[in-house]
Amino acid sequence: MRKHAISPIAALVSLMLFALIGTRAGGSVALTLDFLTTGLSENDTLGSPATWTKGTPPPSSSSTPEPGKERIFIEHVDLWSYDKATNPDAQVLKGNVVFRHKNAYMYCDSALLYEAQNRFEAYGQVRIDQGDSLHIYCNYLDYDGNLMLARLRYLVRMEQGQTTLYTDSLDYDRSVGVGYYFDHGTITDSLNILNSIYGEYDTNTRTATFNDEVVLENDNFTLYSDTLFYDTNTHIATIMGPTEIVSDSGVIHAKRGTYDTEHEVANLLDRAEITSKSQWMTGDSLFYNRKDSLALLFGNVILRDTAQKVELRGNYIEYHEDAEHGIARDSAYLIEYSSKDTLWAASEEMEMLKTDSLNHLFKGRGNVRLYRSNVQAVADSLEYFTKDSLLNFKGQPFIWSGASQVTGDTVTLFMKDSALDHAFIRQNAYLSSAVSEGPLHEKRENLFNQLRGREVTAYFSGQALDSVRTTGNAEVVYYNQSEDSLATEQVRSQSSAILMQFEDEEISRIVMEDKTTGEITPVPLLSSDKYVYPGFVWFPEGRPKSKNDLFRKTPAPGSGMSAELQEAAKPSGSLFSDQPPEEEEKKEVPEADQASTIQTSNSESPKSN
């Protein structure tokens, strides 16, 4: 049914009355789209009052939005015009324009209202107020009331509490409360400044997602990333792509995890890396507290000192950054790779301490096992000083080099140019090697050349034993052999000090440095209790045969277990990768003073003095 028409004069009078009432009420006129369109025929005009330029508003039927969509309301305007001839789709609003739509108020200097589309374009100083907490500012706004989509351009600023978003292009979807920028943007809060090329901000959860050239700036660090999720409530950044975190204490590289920017606590996955001074570390996952200078690493962990070329590894490492102090457990071991001949040492627990700028102290506790091509060892505990290349073994230590076995209460190995130089054995010192009788004779496993005393110093050249000096109740047991390598005689000698020299791991000379006693006994006449000294243990079953043999439990000495290699499963993944070796140098062995000398050969027997 056609609505009743009103005359132009009546319309003008009504406008003037509303304007007068509005002026007395405070100067604002609240008009809806229905008011000016109700009752106008397509032939009616409003004339040309001061608040109109010219033309006729669109018919009322075109002002209806899509079904289920709320129309845009005009709360205030100073000047409202419509020119059907120039722009039949738009109404022009100028001066203190205020729109209302879905509990949001939108302000601007001027606007074009597309009533049929339930849409407007706003210009000048544009502002959107949504509730009490969300405010958006820009210089241009295209707002679609049906989609509840605001397209904001030029000097855009979105404020919500202490969070502010800056960009030149922002699409804000009010239906879901998410704003999108796509040509660089910045979000700031009370702690951080975040920049990226593309970003999304959720006004409901107050969280943001950043993509492409992401930079998070904090007073204490800077984070660079490819993809980042950030919670402005908790200040926690979730890392979802290649990320670098740079601070004065070091650098973190990560691909996945979280970083609490307020407390500076990281929980990282996928073998994240931390570099701190000369220390580099990684693991399957890690926890890092920068304020407490504490890192906890889990799964195939590597802690490397790039300056000293030494590593601590295991499935768990606790590292204190300030003290440069690390403790490894679960398949714990160290690698020293400064030369071609890499040193490997494993224990139940391995500790690394920084003693000075040039020195690390490694402490191994429980089931210590060491492997290097020219020396192997087992013990209850180990101390390794990297600066002096010194290794201390305690608690039933056994050391092997070539065909020789060394044991005592404490054994100290001195390395020179990354190769074994000499060994010092204190208290109950034993040095022994098996007698090889050659292929023509029946194998005998109970003949050993032996040297014992209070203290023993053994010198090495390459992997071979070069000379041995024993002091304090020194005793030697040596087997002379025939030309075809048959053991013919056992020689026993005692002195306050004894020097033995070797060639090709065979005794070439024995020097008694003081009064000497001894005896020579043909091998067939030896009783079984004379083969070895009391307490002597030959322990090949404990000897590590390779770096893979470091992770088995060392059997008890003298238990009679098989000497066959029993390799345990080595740590998996990159944890057990070797390092490229370098060429090692030959060693020179110092000559000892000669008080009395016994020349030996396979055909001559040493004579006791």
Side-chain angles (χ1 to χ4, degrees):
M1 180 180 292
R2 188 170 181 265
K3 298 182 179 179
H4 295 290
I6 61 173
S7 68
I9 296 175
L12 180 60
V13 170
S14 298
L15 279 173
M16 293 176 66
L17 287 173
F18 270 90
L20 180 61
I21 295 171
T23 302
R24 291 179 178 178
S28 68
V29 180
L31 301 173
T32 69
L33 299 182
D34 282 337
F35 173 74
L36 287 177
T37 57
T38 301
L40 290 178
S41 71
E42 58 184 21
N43 296 319
D44 291 333
T45 62
L46 293 178
S48 301
T51 57
W52 289 80
T53 54
K54 62 179 179 178
T56 303
S60 60
S61 59
S62 65
S63 66
T64 305
E66 293 181 8
K69 305 295 183 180
E70 183 175 309
R71 71 175 62 233
I72 297 171
F73 292 90
I74 301 173
E75 292 292 311
H76 183 274
V77 60
D78 289 346
L79 181 65
W80 189 351
S81 65
Y82 171 68
D83 190 335
K84 183 176 181 180
T86 304
N87 192 346
D89 297 325
Q91 301 174 43
V92 179
L93 290 75
K94 295 182 179 180
N96 299 313
V97 182
V98 182
F99 294 102
R100 174 173 56 85
H101 187 250
K102 287 276 191 179
N103 73 12
Y105 289 84
M106 305 172 211
Y107 305 82
C108 61
D109 294 337
S110 61
L112 294 176
L113 174 65
Y114 303 92
E115 187 180 0
Q117 303 172 26
N118 200 29
R119 168 178 162 261
F120 69 84
E121 293 180 82
Y123 303 88
Q125 299 184 43
V126 181
R127 183 175 93 247
I128 298 176
D129 290 343
Q130 182 174 304
D132 296 331
S133 62
L134 182 64
H135 309 282
I136 309 175
Y137 307 85
C138 66
N139 289 342
Y140 170 80
L141 166 65
D142 183 341
Y143 184 76
D144 187 325
N146 293 329
L147 299 177
M148 294 185 67
L149 178 63
R151 298 180 177 91
L152 304 104
R153 302 294 184 267
Y154 313 120
L155 301 177
V156 182
R157 185 173 85 254
M158 175 186 279
E159 297 179 352
Q160 188 176 35
Q162 293 183 307
T163 302
T164 303
L165 186 158
Y166 301 90
T167 185
D168 264 346
S169 298
L170 181 72
D171 290 353
Y172 176 49
D173 188 342
R174 293 189 59 225
S175 65
V176 293
V178 177
Y180 309 83
Y181 65 81
F182 37 84
D183 187 17
H184 293 89
T186 299
I187 293 180
T188 67
D189 62 14
S190 58
L191 280 180
N192 305 305
I193 301 172
L194 298 103
N195 302 276
S196 67
I197 293 179
Y198 176 85
E200 301 176 10
Y201 179 73
D202 190 324
T203 61
N204 297 314
T205 61
R206 303 196 180 192
T207 59
T209 302
F210 303 88
N211 296 97
D212 200 358
E213 298 184 15
V214 184
V215 180
L216 186 158
E217 297 180 73
N218 182 282
D219 290 342
N220 298 317
F221 65 89
T222 303
L223 182 152
Y224 305 90
S225 184
D226 174 72
T227 305
L228 192 73
F229 178 83
Y230 181 71
D231 190 329
T232 64
N233 301 293
T234 62
H235 307 295
I236 294 177
T238 300
I239 297 166
M240 299 183 290
T243 299
E244 181 181 66
I245 305 171
V246 181
S247 68
D248 55 3
S249 61
V251 179
I252 298 174
H253 288 95
K255 298 178 183 176
R256 188 162 63 101
T258 62
Y259 193 89
D260 185 334
T261 63
E262 180 177 359
H263 303 99
E264 297 187 63
V265 172
N267 285 281
L268 306 175
L269 305 172
D270 298 344
R271 300 200 66 76
E273 303 173 2
I274 298 178
T275 302
S276 176
K277 301 176 183 177
S278 64
Q279 310 294 319
W280 175 89
M281 63 200 80
T282 186
D284 292 345
S285 62
L286 66 86
F287 166 87
Y288 176 63
N289 188 322
R290 182 179 177 273
K291 291 182 178 179
D292 293 342
S293 299
L294 173 65
L296 304 177
L297 300 97
F298 306 86
N300 295 317
V301 183
I302 302 173
L303 172 56
R304 175 181 300 157
D305 189 298
T306 55
Q308 298 294 321
K309 294 188 176 180
V310 64
E311 295 181 3
L312 182 63
R313 298 193 181 193
N315 283 321
Y316 170 78
I317 289 182
E318 175 183 319
Y319 182 70
H320 299 268
E321 190 175 32
D322 284 349
E324 298 186 46
H325 173 211
I327 300 176
R329 301 183 183 93
D330 188 3
S331 300
Y333 66 106
L334 72 87
I335 305 174
E336 200 278 336
Y337 59 95
S338 61
S339 72
K340 182 177 180 179
D341 194 7
T342 302
L343 182 147
W344 309 75
S347 62
E348 294 175 1
E349 179 179 276
M350 188 72 72
E351 183 177 9
M352 182 186 78
L353 301 98
K354 184 84 169 182
T355 57
D356 56 48
S357 60
L358 299 176
N359 192 28
H360 282 92
L361 168 61
F362 286 87
K363 292 183 176 181
R365 290 180 285 271
N367 197 47
V368 172
R369 295 176 64 79
L370 178 145
Y371 178 82
R372 199 172 196 166
S373 64
N374 61 358
V375 63
Q376 300 82 45
V378 299
D380 290 339
S381 66
L382 163 70
E383 292 180 341
Y384 174 41
F385 297 86
T386 58
K387 179 181 179 181
D388 301 318
S389 297
L390 184 151
L391 297 98
N392 279 329
F393 297 88
K394 296 179 181 179
Q396 288 192 308
F398 283 83
I399 316 296
W400 297 270
S401 182
S404 301
Q405 172 185 289
V406 175
T407 186
D409 289 355
T410 302
V411 178
T412 302
L413 300 184
F414 297 85
M415 315 298 289
K416 185 177 180 181
D417 298 327
S418 300
L420 179 60
D421 184 73
H422 65 282
F424 182 59
I425 308 101
R426 292 180 293 276
Q427 299 300 325
N428 300 313
Y430 275 88
L431 187 147
S432 53
S433 61
V435 175
S436 176
E437 293 193 300
L440 298 178
H441 306 286
E442 183 179 347
K443 186 177 180 181
R444 285 187 282 193
E445 298 180 349
N446 55 356
L447 299 183
F448 301 94
N449 293 324
Q450 306 155 63
L451 185 66
R452 72 173 183 175
R454 187 174 62 250
E455 294 179 350
V456 171
T457 304
Y459 298 91
F460 295 84
S461 178
Q463 297 190 41
L465 186 62
D466 184 90
S467 61
V468 177
R469 187 172 187 272
T470 307
T471 59
N473 299 320
E475 299 180 76
V476 62
V477 170
Y478 170 75
Y479 287 89
N480 279 325
Q481 294 175 269
S482 63
E483 291 182 358
D484 60 0
S485 300
L486 176 66
T488 58
E489 297 174 323
Q490 183 197 72
V491 180
R492 283 177 175 258
S493 297
Q494 299 85 34
S495 180
S496 60
I498 300 176
L499 173 67
M500 300 176 67
Q501 293 185 331
F502 296 78
E503 290 182 5
D504 298 327
E505 299 189 2
E506 297 289 341
I507 299 175
S508 62
R509 186 172 65 166
I510 299 176
V511 179
M512 306 294 179
E513 299 186 6
D514 203 345
K515 184 178 180 181
T516 303
T517 61
E519 60 183 6
I520 299 175
T521 305
V523 170
L525 299 181
L526 284 173
S527 59
S528 59
D529 62 338
K530 295 293 186 180
Y531 284 133
V532 296
Y533 288 119
F536 171 79
V537 175
W538 183 246
F539 190 39
E541 64 270 25
R543 185 175 190 173
K545 302 299 192 296
S546 71
K547 67 179 187 294
N548 294 344
D549 191 31
L550 295 177
F551 301 96
R552 66 180 171 99
K553 182 70 174 178
T554 302
S559 63
M561 293 183 63
S562 171
E564 295 296 323
L565 174 62
Q566 302 172 20
E567 291 193 2
K570 66 182 180 181
S572 60
S574 60
L575 179 65
F576 212 68
S577 59
D578 203 348
Q579 301 292 336
E582 297 176 356
E583 195 69 26
E584 66 170 284
E585 299 178 359
K586 298 295 183 181
K587 312 296 179 300
E588 292 186 2
V589 181
E591 294 185 1
D593 295 335
Q594 300 180 9
S596 58
T597 302
I598 302 176
Q599 294 285 351
T600 66
S601 69
N602 286 340
S603 58
E604 295 184 8
S605 301
K607 307 297 182 181
S608 51
N609 293 334

